[in-house]
Amino acid sequence: MTFPRPSTDETAIHLVFCNTPDRDCAERIARALVEQGLAACANLLPDCLSIYAWQGQVEHAHETPMLIKTTAARLPDVIGAIQALHPYEVPEIIALPVTDGLPAYLQWVRDQTLPLDKSA
């Protein structure tokens, strides 16, 4: 599956938000993203109650939210990896461009996520 690139600047930083059904699932996805160099960091937040419409019904579930930091170059791979590892039929994956931040931190995210082979 091909995902659109939201920015022509491959080094642009993105914050990806994703809810998971539990902490174990969130840890498994976060670890895989960081180990594969797709994300520089993933923060697992305290569990929350989600209320949502699904297949004509109002549902509720306790979920573990994740905040994932990556680059535009890696965003399609992050989305694909989450889809492959996530148990939901349609996982919540929302990517927001980061418009400002501490330059040293933003560079760290780039350094952790840019492919080693620049021709890739």
Side-chain angles (χ1 to χ4, degrees), residues 27-113:
E27 286 183 29
R28 189 177 74 255
I29 292 171
R31 180 170 294 279
L33 294 174
V34 173
E35 285 177 347
Q36 294 173 34
L38 301 178
C41 174
N43 303 110
L44 282 54
L45 303 178
D47 289 352
C48 67
L49 176 63
S50 296
I51 300 172
Y52 54 95
W54 180 249
Q55 299 180 342
Q57 301 290 319
V58 175
E59 303 284 346
H60 72 278
H62 291 276
E63 297 181 299
T64 300
M66 293 190 303
L67 301 175
I68 303 158
K69 278 70 82 175
T70 192
T71 57
R74 300 304 254 168
L75 187 56
D77 293 329
V78 167
I79 292 169
I82 293 171
Q83 283 188 302
L85 296 168
H86 206 291
Y88 290 172
E89 181 180 340
V90 180
E92 176 181 14
I93 305 171
I94 300 171
L96 304 170
V98 173
T99 59
D100 208 353
L102 180 67
Y105 180 81
L106 300 179
Q107 187 58 51
W108 173 78
V109 173
R110 289 181 190 101
D111 292 344
Q112 300 306 306
T113 58

